[in-house]
Amino acid sequence: MSAVTEASPKALAPPPRGGVIQSIRDSLVIARRNLIRMTRIPEVVLFGIIQPVMFVILFTYVFGGSIRVGNSTSAEVYKNFLMAGIFAQTVTFATAGSAAGIADDMQKGLVDRFRSLPMARGAVLTGRTVADLVQTAITLVVLAIVALIVGWRPGFAEPTNIGKILGAFGLLLLLGYAFTWIGALIGLSVRTPEAATSGGIIWLFPVTFISNAFVDSSQMTPWLRHIADWNPFSATVQACRQLFGDPGLSQSGAWPMQQPVWATLIYSVLIIGIFRTLAVRKYRGAAG
């Protein structure tokens, strides 16, 4: 009699294809799969747009005129001060959706299915984050239109131009993409999409509110102001206000507030480098 041994799924899986070009191709295939899925579930995109629009309207008409920006409590000044913070909050809150989506894919066994394909291991996560970036870009376009309707005017405090405005939105998308990798790691680390949603959003509240997004950080207590000034989120908000020509630029001597564009680029690249490495390693461990 001959002994029959059952090969493990890992042994049966074809070896992943290597090379940067192949990895990009595989990532684009996964991104396309996720974008098609979004079009088939339009309510996900719709609800993702409604939430930031509600923030714009509520903050504009509820807090406008009651919060001091510099030496002014004007509703018009606060409205233009606010928008960079709302834009930045929108791109970072997309993290929760990324975490929940990846956790859902894990729960449904898509990891095992992708393991059977000769594809780059990191392509599954990269494709997902790219698809989420496209959804975030669509949300930002709609949000910018709503902001213009309620009275946001680029160049309100300082002259600006279309190149600077597009550069600001580019920084926002870069920060959003960086944060989706944090969401990817969270999604791989929990067991259910519900836990991923909670884990993906709870830490964002201190990040976004201990910042210069909604209030002038100079009005905070000294120890809290230092945290806000070195917050990567605050750097992006400061950079956007600078490029949009919005009022309320922080006068802090902290380096991220003095060089916010460079700070945003450095912070975002570091976040992508660190959390992409951790997420891909976690994915490989889950697939092993």
Side-chain angles (χ1 to χ4, degrees), residues 23-83:
S23 180
I24 292 173
R25 288 176 180 171
D26 292 343
S27 298
L28 291 177
V29 169
I30 298 297
R32 182 173 177 273
R33 171 254 177 192
N34 283 285
L35 289 173
I36 291 174
R37 184 184 180 190
M38 288 177 189
T39 62
R40 293 175 179 173
I41 315 175
E43 57 268 25
V44 174
V45 180
L46 181 61
F47 291 147
I49 292 173
I50 290 176
Q51 178 180 318
V53 168
M54 290 178 62
F55 271 112
V56 168
I57 296 173
L58 290 174
F59 272 85
T60 297
Y61 294 107
V62 174
F63 295 105
S66 61
I67 295 180
R68 181 180 296 277
V69 178
N71 295 319
S72 174
T73 55
S74 165
E76 287 298 314
V77 171
Y78 183 69
K79 185 185 301 180
N80 285 276
F81 168 85
L82 172 69
M83 291 309 166

Side-chain angles (χ1 to χ4, degrees), residues 25 66 72 78 80 95 126 175 180 198 217 227 239 244 282:
R25 288 176 180 171
S66 61
S72 174
Y78 183 69
N80 285 276
T95 302
T126 301
L175 181 74
T180 57
S198 299
S217 61
I227 295 175
F244 286 145
K282 186 77 174 179

Side-chain angles (χ1 to χ4, degrees), residues 60-251:
T60 297
Y61 294 107
V62 174
F63 295 105
S66 61
I67 295 180
R68 181 180 296 277
V69 178
N71 295 319
S72 174
T73 55
S74 165
E76 287 298 314
V77 171
Y78 183 69
K79 185 185 301 180
N80 285 276
F81 168 85
L82 172 69
M83 291 309 166
I86 292 290
F87 292 151
Q89 183 194 52
T90 299
V91 300
T92 54
F93 269 49
T95 302
S98 299
I102 290 174
D104 186 53
D105 287 346
M106 292 279 291
Q107 190 180 54
K108 291 178 178 178
L110 281 178
V111 170
D112 292 331
R113 298 176 194 174
F114 287 130
R115 278 175 57 198
S116 66
L117 301 175
M119 63 188 300
R121 293 297 184 221
V124 175
L125 300 180
T126 301
R128 175 77 206 197
T129 56
V130 169
D132 289 337
L133 181 65
V134 173
Q135 182 179 347
T136 300
I138 294 171
T139 303
L140 268 183
V141 170
V142 175
L143 192 58
I145 294 172
V146 173
L148 290 170
I149 292 173
V150 301
W152 173 60
R153 294 295 178 266
F156 180 84
E158 298 289 340
T160 189
N161 55 56
I162 188 65
K164 291 181 178 180
I165 293 172
L166 292 176
F169 282 112
L171 291 177
L172 287 167
L173 290 175
L174 179 62
L175 181 74
Y177 183 70
F179 273 49
T180 57
W181 281 107
I182 301 177
L185 181 60
I186 292 172
L188 292 167
S189 303
V190 299
R191 297 182 179 180
T192 64
E194 293 78 13
T197 301
S198 299
I201 201 170
I202 192 169
W203 63 275
L204 286 170
F205 282 100
V207 169
T208 54
F209 282 93
I210 305 178
S211 72
N212 59 359
F214 307 111
V215 297
D216 187 347
S217 61
S218 65
Q219 300 177 26
M220 299 178 181
T221 56
W223 67 270
L224 202 59
R225 183 172 66 248
H226 292 311
I227 295 175
D229 288 344
W230 285 90
N231 185 345
F233 184 83
S234 293
T236 302
V237 173
Q238 177 86 341
C240 289
R241 287 193 181 124
Q242 187 179 89
L243 295 171
F244 286 145
D246 288 343
L249 286 175
S250 173
Q251 302 303 313

Side-chain angles (χ1 to χ4, degrees), residues 251-266:
Q251 302 303 313
S252 168
W255 182 79
M257 296 296 99
Q258 293 296 313
Q259 301 293 334
V261 174
W262 281 109
T264 300
L265 291 172
I266 293 171

